[in-house]
Amino acid sequence: MTSTPVLHVDLDQFLAAVEVLRRPELAGLPVVVGGRGDPTQRAVVSTASYEARAHGVRSGMPLRTAAKKCPDAVFLPVDLPVYEEASAAVMATLRAARWAGDPVDVEVLGWDEAFVGLRPGADLTTDHDPMVFAEQLRAEVLAATGLHCSVGVGDNKLQAKIATDFGKPRGIYRLSDASWSAEMGHRPTRALWGVGAKVQQRLAGLGIDTVAQLAASDVRVLAAEIGPTMGPYYHRLGRGADTSVVDPTPWVARAHGREETFQDDLDDDATIEAEVRRLTRRVVADIDAEGRPARRVGLKVRDRAFQTVQRSRTLPEPTNDPDVLADAAVALLGKVARTRPVRLLGVRLEMVEPPGGYER
DNA sequence: TCTGGGGTCCTAGGACCC
DNA sequence: TCTGGGGTCCTAGGACCC
C-alpha cells in the first residue's frame, strides 16, 4: 500500500502576528502577548514576536522578566476570542485546500497548528508533490488571513511535526525515512516530539543521549526500564516511526478546568472557599456547553512556596448541578493540609464519556 | 515580589471482587 | 504458617504539549 507524505502547518509567532494584523503600526516592533498585558503582574509570556525574541524573551517567561530583557517591548493582553477567530479562518483555509485537485484531511492540534494529509481513497497515480502543496498552503493561508506559517513535510506525522521547526520562520522543510538518521541521529533525544527534560535525563541514565543511540537501543531494555508502553514508544520515536493517521474527527474534550494564580496570595478560609465556588461555576458553564455532566471533580492548590497538591473525587453519580459540584470542590479543600497562603486555585471537572465514546 | 493556563495520557499502589 | 491470580476502579502524581 502506497502512502503519501504528511504535512504539518504551524503559524509563525501566532498571537503576536494576529495583534500586529489589527494594529499595523506594531509591525517590526518587539511585541509580547501575555496575561493582562501588564508586566508588573503575575503572568507569563504567551507569545513574543521575533523582534522581542531577539532580546531573549521566550514563551513561558514571567512578564516581569520579559520587561527587564526588553523594556521597549509593547505588552498586550491575551485576547482569546480574536485568536480563536483567526485560528478558525486558518483551519477553514486548510480544509478547503486541494492537493493536486484532491481533498485533504485536517487534524487540528491547537490554535496555531494542524496536520494535513491526503484523504484516503485519492488516486495515487497522479503526482502529489508535497513540497509544491506546502508552498500552495503557505500562499493560501497568507492570502486568506494575512498570517505567515511554516510547513513541515514528513513520511509520517512525527517527522512532519519536527520538520516544521527546521523551516521556521516562513519556510518549508522536509524529513523522510530516508533522511531521518542523517538529519536527526546526532541530535539530543530532547529534539523528539514527546521527549521532555525528564525523559531526556532518564534515557541519559541508560547511556542514551542521541536520537541515533535511542534508535539503536534494545527495545526490551527500554520496556523493562521505562515501561511496557512508554519504552517501546520512545524507541519508535528514535527511529522516526509513527503509524498514526491524520484524524479529521473534531476533538471531544475529556475534561475542562479553570485555574487562577492570584495577584495577592489568599490567606483566609472564607475567601478561598468563595474562590473555589467561583471557579467551579465557570467550569460548569464550560461543561454545560459540551452537554455532558461531570463524573469527577478535581481541586488544585498551590501555596506561596509553590508546593502544589491535587485532590479529586469521583461523584456518586454524574451531575451538572453547580451547587453539588461546588460543594464537592469545597469538600476537597478539607483534604488539603494548608500551611501557607494560597497562590493558585484550580477546579477541574471530568465529564462522562459521550455516547459514542472517544475512539480516536 | 522568580515560576500562566488549558489540556492529555501514563504509572503505581491500594481497595475490592471473584 | 503461609498464602494464587486476574481484573477493575479509585486516587495522586508526573510528564509532556501548546
Side-chain angles (χ1 to χ4, degrees):
Chain A
M1 187 169 137
T2 324
S3 67
T4 47
V6 175
L7 291 83
H8 176 258
V9 177
D10 194 320
L11 280 296
D12 297 334
Q13 47 175 5
F14 179 54
L15 272 50
V18 172
E19 295 294 350
V20 171
L21 261 189
R22 61 172 169 174
R23 279 169 245 190
E25 69 273 17
L26 297 181
L29 300 179
V31 173
V32 177
V33 182
R36 294 170 194 162
D38 177 353
T40 68
Q41 285 192 351
R42 283 178 168 174
V44 298
V45 176
S46 290
T47 304
S49 71
Y50 290 116
E51 291 81 2
R53 290 180 205 188
H55 292 263
V57 179
R58 296 286 179 270
S59 294
M61 172 182 288
L63 289 186
R64 236 183 282 271
T65 310
K68 279 186 196 135
K69 288 186 177 285
C70 190
D72 296 333
V74 178
F75 286 86
L76 298 172
V78 173
D79 188 349
L80 296 185
V82 170
Y83 313 140
E84 277 160 11
E85 191 182 333
S87 174
V90 170
M91 299 308 165
T93 302
L94 297 179
R95 290 191 187 97
R98 292 295 174 267
W99 186 349
D102 289 317
V104 293
D105 281 335
V106 174
E107 179 178 334
V108 177
L109 272 194
W111 277 343
D112 64 342
E113 56 183 289
F115 289 111
V116 180
L118 196 61
R119 190 170 299 166
D123 178 7
L124 295 185
T125 61
T126 59
D127 184 24
H128 292 91
D129 184 334
M131 298 303 274
V132 171
F133 184 49
E135 195 51 70
Q136 174 192 328
L137 285 180
R138 277 190 20 79
E140 290 180 356
V141 168
L142 180 61
T145 66
L147 295 167
H148 289 275
C149 62
S150 301
V151 181
V153 178
D155 284 335
N156 56 45
K157 287 159 62 177
L158 170 67
Q159 293 175 8
K161 166 77 181 170
I162 293 172
T164 307
D165 276 341
F166 301 157
K168 278 190 170 291
R170 303 187 184 185
I172 298 170
Y173 203 89
R174 184 174 193 174
L175 286 174
S176 66
D177 294 334
S179 70
W180 178 262
S181 69
E183 298 257 28
M184 295 295 296
H186 63 285
R187 296 179 190 270
T189 53
R190 184 78 171 84
L192 296 166
W193 184 39
V195 175
K198 300 289 182 176
V199 171
Q200 175 181 34
Q201 262 192 305
R202 218 169 150 194
L203 291 171
L206 300 174
I208 298 168
D209 294 307
T210 67
V211 172
Q213 287 169 338
L214 182 57
S217 69
D218 186 337
V219 68
R220 291 164 301 181
V221 172
L222 289 179
E225 294 289 335
I226 295 184
T229 301
M230 299 310 283
Y233 164 70
Y234 294 126
H235 195 252
R236 289 195 295 278
L237 289 187
R239 288 176 289 132
D242 175 14
T243 57
S244 68
V245 298
V246 177
D247 182 351
T249 340
W251 177 251
V252 180
R254 272 73 170 158
H256 286 296
R258 294 279 186 150
E259 56 183 68
E260 182 169 339
T261 295
F262 301 100
Q263 291 305 316
D264 298 298
D265 297 337
L266 309 181
D267 199 11
D268 168 67
D269 288 342
T271 308
I272 290 169
E273 177 176 331
E275 291 294 340
V276 167
R277 291 188 182 278
R278 184 180 58 85
L279 287 166
T280 306
R281 281 196 299 275
R282 293 173 63 183
V283 190
V284 170
D286 293 336
I287 69 164
D288 281 347
E290 302 269 352
R292 285 181 288 151
R295 62 175 292 272
R296 190 175 168 77
V297 181
L299 177 76
K300 179 167 162 181
V301 180
R302 173 173 294 154
D303 69 21
R304 174 170 280 170
F306 222 72
Q307 295 296 114
T308 308
V309 293
Q310 301 192 56
R311 295 291 178 267
S312 61
R313 185 168 98 93
T314 300
L315 297 163
E317 56 183 352
T319 179
N320 0 21
D321 185 319
D323 293 327
V324 172
L325 293 168
D327 285 346
V330 168
L332 291 170
L333 267 179
K335 296 212 274 177
V336 178
R338 193 167 67 79
T339 56
R340 281 179 280 262
V342 169
R343 173 193 176 89
L344 169 146
L345 289 172
V347 173
R348 176 186 148 85
L349 296 179
E350 194 176 307
M351 293 170 281
V352 300
E353 266 198 38
Y358 295 112
E359 47 185 298
R360 177 153 176 154

